[in-house]
Amino acid sequence: MLIVNAPVAALSWLGRQGTRAVAALVVIGIALPTIGAILKPYVTEAVFLLLCIAFLRVDATQFKTYVRRPAIVLGATAWTSVAIPALFGVGCLASGLDKRVPELFLALMLQAIASPMMAAPALAALMGLDATLVLVTLITSTALIPLPAPVFAFVFVGPNLSISPLVLAAKLFAILAGAALIGFAVRRVFGVPAIERQKERINGFNILVLFVFVAAVMESVGRRFLAAPRTTMTLAALAFVVFFAVLFCTVLLFLSAGRERALALGFMASQRNMGLMLAVTGAALQDLTWLYFALSQFPIYLSPHLLQPLARRMLARPPETSE
């Protein structure tokens, strides 16, 4: 029993650490690049498991409010799935980035094309934001991604992406549909009460799986920083600029819907699920693209801590009513 209980207790403890454990994964991934090199071939499997866990924890009853009044969800889905990739593509082409640094151009376009992170609702809840709105918009934009992603890849990226748009669409659909099928099936078999009772252990397992992805993308960060510190720091700064630019533009766009909703949507839109794009294109990506993907994880995992004081101030104000 001790052999069985010890790992279960360890999972529960890990699940209780929350965002601290997630932040620690980044440090461990950078400090132990050998582990990242070993885990790098398993990024697709790790992302698939993360998606399965996310779908496992979806509660359909939370959708009712926004399903009855879908205007803001449809608007947010169009913004994150269509407008953001289009703006990224036009901006990068206008600046000539596709000619000057094609690997960085590819990284930025894959970031823009990606749907929001599956962990966004949980992180939004930790900040006290409207996690239901984030969850509903996340599901709609994730379900939609196999349609616009190949189109934007064809229009803006073209030959820079060593995978055809049709294959990209097929892989995205297969990963998302398969994860949804498994997640919902497990939920149906075991039931919501049982899943809720295992919340801490599921969180712990989720963090372990997330480590596979984080370690893989962080594998070259330390080495690249020592070899080219200026380039690495510039890419890191760019990752933060892109993150907060998307966040603040989204907040301004949806401010009329209320401060909390606008911040929740901004938080969601700025957290792109680049792991999903790595899962379908990882073998075809250059080192610089991988490096930017790794560095872009810093604002994602630090954002709950960075934005929580702002969220508290906004939530402390009198609530706004908006349809």
Side-chain angles (χ1 to χ4, degrees):
M1 290 299 296
L2 180 62
I3 295 175
V4 174
N5 290 333
V8 171
L11 278 180
S12 298
W13 175 84
L14 186 60
R16 290 192 295 269
Q17 305 312 305
T19 55
R20 288 176 296 180
V22 174
L25 298 184
V26 177
V27 177
I28 296 171
I30 295 174
L32 301 174
T34 304
I35 295 179
I38 294 172
L39 296 177
K40 199 170 186 177
Y42 304 103
V43 167
T44 299
E45 290 80 359
V47 171
F48 183 78
L49 276 176
L50 290 171
L51 289 170
C52 289
I53 296 170
F55 282 114
L56 168 69
R57 307 181 78 168
V58 168
D59 187 353
T61 60
Q62 298 183 38
F63 294 151
K64 292 181 179 178
T65 301
Y66 288 110
V67 167
R68 294 192 188 103
R69 294 186 299 175
I72 188 172
V73 172
L74 294 176
T77 301
W79 166 252
T80 191
S81 301
V82 179
I84 288 178
L87 291 172
F88 266 64
V90 171
C92 289
L93 292 180
S95 65
L97 188 65
D98 59 319
K99 299 294 192 301
R100 293 186 288 109
V101 193
E103 297 89 351
L104 179 58
F105 168 68
L106 176 59
L108 289 169
M109 285 309 306
L110 290 177
Q111 180 181 19
I113 291 170
S115 59
M117 281 181 59
M118 298 302 286
L123 294 176
L126 289 176
M127 297 170 61
L129 298 174
D130 190 344
T132 301
L133 174 59
V134 173
L135 180 63
V136 177
T137 309
L138 170 67
I139 295 299
T140 56
S141 58
T142 300
L144 184 66
I145 190 176
L147 299 177
V151 174
F152 285 116
F154 175 76
V155 172
F156 291 112
V157 180
N160 289 327
L161 184 62
S162 301
I163 181 173
S164 74
L166 289 178
V167 173
L168 176 63
K171 285 191 173 184
L172 285 170
F173 177 80
I175 290 175
L176 293 170
L181 181 63
I182 293 174
F184 290 143
V186 173
R187 186 181 185 85
R188 184 175 182 85
V189 170
F190 290 96
V192 176
I195 293 173
E196 287 299 317
R197 288 195 299 270
Q198 301 297 324
K199 181 179 179 180
E200 288 183 350
R201 294 167 186 172
I202 294 174
N203 285 342
F205 180 70
N206 192 70
I207 290 171
L208 287 179
V209 178
L210 184 61
F211 177 67
V212 177
F213 168 72
V214 173
V217 297
M218 292 293 172
E219 179 254 337
S220 64
V221 170
R223 172 172 50 83
R224 291 296 295 266
F225 177 77
L226 293 176
R230 181 175 298 180
T231 299
T232 306
M233 293 177 66
T234 300
L235 289 177
L238 176 63
F240 276 92
V241 169
V242 169
F243 180 92
F244 284 104
V246 172
L247 187 148
F248 287 123
C249 287
T250 306
V251 169
L252 291 176
L253 183 64
F254 291 95
L255 196 57
S256 61
R259 292 187 299 266
E260 181 188 349
R261 289 176 176 177
L263 183 57
L265 290 175
F267 180 76
M268 177 205 70
S270 59
Q271 293 199 327
R272 316 302 288 184
N273 192 354
M274 287 167 281
L276 179 60
M277 306 311 295
L278 280 178
V280 297
T281 63
L285 299 182
Q286 300 295 320
D287 286 345
L288 185 64
T289 306
W290 271 90
L291 179 61
Y292 177 79
F293 273 23
L295 295 172
S296 64
Q297 305 307 303
F298 283 100
I300 289 176
Y301 294 128
L302 290 175
S303 60
H305 302 288
L306 295 174
L307 296 175
Q308 195 163 44
L310 174 62
R312 286 175 178 171
R313 285 198 296 269
M314 295 182 73
L315 294 174
R317 297 179 184 177
E320 299 176 357
T321 58
S322 177
E323 292 297 324

